[in-house]
Amino acid sequence: MGVVFGKRLCGLCIGAVAITAALTLATAAPAAAGTQVGETFDPTIVGGSGVTYLQVASPGGQYTVPFTGVITSWSFQAPATTVPSLKFKVGRHVAGNDFMIVGSDGPRDPVAGMLNTFPVTIPVQAGDVIGDFRASSGAVQRPAGFDYLVQTMLGDPAPGATPTFDAASMGTQLDLSANLEPLAPTPTGQRAAALKKCKKKHSRKKRKKCRKKALLLPV
């Protein structure tokens, strides 16, 4: 009996371990994240102040918004020293070197030596690009391949402005990223309208049948 009890006890232990492991995995599983636009890293090049940068080209369109949605936060990996004060910018190409500024946030003063993330709500369209305005000098970028292009301008254009930027220059990557979320679907009202009509049915059977069909319609 002692052996049998030992086996049963062992089986209970294994079951408890399995349940505990499953609960641990469920708790540890991260929440679904948005789409990252751009990239953060330890910057090595110090940029001057009073300049707006847009990362207008990057391999695979890394700094380009891939679909219409909302930017919910932006991030900057601050260096250990020479930390700039920054504004986040979103630009939309209009023509030639003209870009409309469709969103801005800041200025922000990042904490040195760590990844800084700031919440925002900026509606964007596919094809928009991200960038920054340097309110003060600091390390903000690194050397990169010729397929990384930036366009710059002196000043801090406000949202809605369409300034002309300088011609694109090669070989610079911005220490900057943004979190992009899809737009929530707009309610069509079809289901609510159909359910309202169902209430006018005279018999319970007809109302039930009507509701069943109405619940299949888009919200």
Side-chain angles (χ1 to χ4, degrees):
M1 288 296 291
V3 176
V4 173
F5 177 76
K7 287 182 178 180
R8 289 179 63 190
L9 182 61
C10 186
L12 290 171
C13 290
I14 293 172
V17 170
I19 293 170
T20 302
L23 290 173
T24 301
L25 287 173
T27 304
T35 298
Q36 179 173 307
V37 180
E39 183 181 5
T40 56
F41 46 82
D42 289 322
T44 56
I45 300 177
V46 175
S49 62
V51 182
T52 296
Y53 284 68
L54 293 178
Q55 188 85 58
V56 297
S58 53
Q62 187 179 15
Y63 286 74
T64 302
V65 173
F67 56 83
T68 296
V70 178
I71 289 178
T72 57
S73 67
W74 64 277
S75 300
F76 170 74
Q77 175 64 51
T81 59
T82 324
V83 182
S85 179
L86 290 177
K87 280 188 176 184
F88 176 72
K89 297 285 185 182
V90 180
R92 181 173 300 159
H93 185 244
V94 176
N97 293 323
D98 294 345
F99 287 83
M100 181 173 71
I101 304 302
V102 297
S104 182
D105 178 66
R108 303 280 192 168
D109 296 312
V111 179
M114 65 177 289
L115 181 67
N116 293 258
T117 298
F118 306 102
V120 292
T121 302
I122 301 177
V124 291
Q125 295 180 8
D128 291 348
V129 294
I130 64 173
D132 57 40
F133 167 74
R134 289 81 185 274
S136 66
S137 180
V140 289
Q141 56 204 41
R142 69 181 175 187
F146 292 145
D147 42 2
Y148 285 92
L149 302 179
V150 294
Q151 288 191 244
T152 65
M153 64 161 288
L154 289 174
D156 175 20
T162 306
T164 299
F165 283 71
D166 296 333
S169 57
M170 299 181 294
T172 298
Q173 182 183 8
L174 302 183
D175 167 23
L176 189 69
S177 71
N179 185 66
L180 174 67
E181 300 283 353
L183 288 173
T186 303
T188 65
Q190 294 182 49
R191 184 182 299 179
L195 288 171
K196 188 176 181 180
K197 289 181 180 179
C198 292
K199 293 180 180 179
K200 297 179 181 179
K201 299 292 183 182
H202 296 295
S203 72
R204 183 178 178 182
K205 184 177 180 180
K206 287 183 178 180
R207 285 196 299 270
K208 185 176 180 181
K209 186 177 180 181
C210 180
R211 283 181 56 84
K212 188 174 181 181
K213 288 183 178 180
L215 291 172
L216 297 175
L217 294 172
V219 175

